[in-house]
Amino acid sequence: MNNRPLTLMAVHAHPDDEATGTGGVLARYAEEGMRTVLVTCTDGGCGDGPEGVKPGDPGHDPAAVALMRRQELEASCEVLKISHLEMLDYADSGMMGWPTNDAPGSFWRTPVEEGAARLAELLRHYEPDVVVTYDENGFYGHPDHIQANRITMAALAMTTLTPKVYWTTAPRSMMQRFGEVMREFGADGQEPDPAEAAAMAEIGLPDEEITTWVDITAFGGQKFDALAAHASQGENIFFLKMGQERFTELMGVETFVRVQDTTGAAVPENDLFAGLR
């Protein structure tokens, strides 16, 4: 037996993903004394530049954007009290179908075995009890999210570790509410239109298929502030314009599907560490 603390490792694609899907559990388990490890796979260089300039537009400098987003990520980690940040620093692949998907050094183009071998080293080093990443579709089809799932599952297979493994998801009931809130706050035309909001309702899983519901209401403020740390990214404005109270009301439970377990903890569960303490 060693003396290491119980450890949660979250494997995410871009700077800011840690706040949106797992900010609550990272903050909660840090508060409870767990060691929290964030692995961010890409540099975020396909994000928005200053003044919201988009990739491919004049004035967008991927290297400068990546540097800015690294600083924002470090600020988010401070807010969430993340113990360790590990950057794989692959080039951001952009959205599915973008030319950046196949650019040299892009995460999407990287052989799964290569990325998995690097992640396996981190798994062996930290020996996490719980690992969280995306589902096989990357939640909504983003190539870097899909690749994060692929390298995580391949990396686990390269080790002898047997952590509880979870994929992030969202209950359909919540996605319906989310669509309604998007329409409410999208009246100024800056946010997705109703058709896009309706499409959001198809993301996630039926409520009864979700294995794990973690209440993070007490950490909603930290999650909100972590997202605010990534203020350069226009997609975050929608969440932030809700205000902290409304944001926490909507985002106060984080949900997962348990895909690997040796503890025998009953599902549905309300704790990623159920059966481990």
Side-chain angles (χ1 to χ4, degrees):
M1 297 291 289
N2 58 36
N3 294 320
R4 65 171 180 79
L6 286 171
T7 301
L8 164 65
M9 177 182 283
V11 182
H12 281 292
H14 312 98
D16 80 3
D17 289 333
E18 82 290 340
T20 308
T22 57
V25 293
L26 286 165
R28 170 179 165 169
Y29 291 121
E31 175 70 19
E32 293 182 6
M34 313 300 189
R35 181 173 59 171
T36 52
V37 181
L38 171 63
V39 180
T40 302
C41 296
T42 80
D43 62 8
C46 286
D48 293 350
E51 307 302 321
V53 63
K54 302 296 183 183
D57 289 348
H60 188 278
D61 179 351
V65 170
L67 177 60
M68 174 179 63
R69 298 195 72 185
R70 171 62 183 255
Q71 294 167 345
E72 292 178 333
L73 177 60
E74 290 173 351
S76 172
C77 287
E78 283 193 31
V79 170
L80 299 174
K81 310 299 183 188
I82 290 170
S83 309
H84 301 277
L85 170 63
E86 299 283 355
M87 298 284 293
L88 298 187
D89 267 334
Y90 290 107
D92 188 341
S93 309
M95 300 298 287
M96 191 68 81
W98 286 13
T100 46
N101 291 176
D102 296 316
S106 76
F107 190 38
W108 183 241
R109 182 173 172 176
T110 299
V112 170
E113 296 76 12
E114 176 189 321
R118 294 182 61 195
L119 183 57
E121 289 184 17
L122 295 175
L123 288 167
R124 295 186 190 102
H125 176 72
Y126 288 107
E127 298 182 358
D129 303 279
V130 174
V131 174
V132 176
T133 192
Y134 314 98
D135 63 22
E136 293 166 310
N137 189 46
F139 188 57
Y140 66 97
H142 193 296
D144 287 331
H145 292 217
I146 294 170
Q147 188 76 332
N149 167 276
R150 290 174 177 171
I151 74 160
T152 301
M153 302 313 290
L156 287 163
M158 291 176 178
T159 75
T160 58
L161 302 172
T162 57
K164 297 179 78 176
V165 180
Y166 294 90
W167 294 346
T168 57
T169 190
R172 290 273 168 80
S173 59
M174 189 274 279
M175 294 308 299
Q176 182 177 354
R177 288 181 58 221
F178 188 62
E180 293 166 356
V181 174
M182 288 178 75
R183 289 192 289 274
E184 175 185 343
F185 284 89
D188 59 6
Q190 294 183 4
E191 306 301 336
D193 62 25
E196 290 175 308
M200 291 289 288
E202 297 304 311
I203 296 175
L205 291 172
D207 291 29
E208 62 271 16
E209 294 182 21
I210 292 173
T211 64
T212 311
W213 305 69
V214 184
D215 183 355
I216 56 91
T217 304
F219 303 92
Q222 279 177 265
K223 182 171 177 171
F224 183 88
D225 290 345
L227 200 60
H230 297 282
S232 70
Q233 300 309 299
E235 64 265 24
N236 294 334
I237 294 173
F238 165 71
F239 293 102
L240 300 176
K241 69 194 293 188
M242 288 187 214
Q244 182 178 310
E245 183 176 347
R246 189 70 182 276
F247 174 85
T248 300
E249 177 187 339
L250 186 66
M251 309 286 280
V253 176
E254 290 177 352
T255 50
F256 307 87
V257 173
R258 194 174 79 189
V259 295
Q260 179 176 301
D261 173 64
T262 58
T263 69
V267 293
E269 59 187 0
N270 60 11
D271 178 10
L272 296 179
F273 287 88
L276 293 169
R277 53 176 176 169

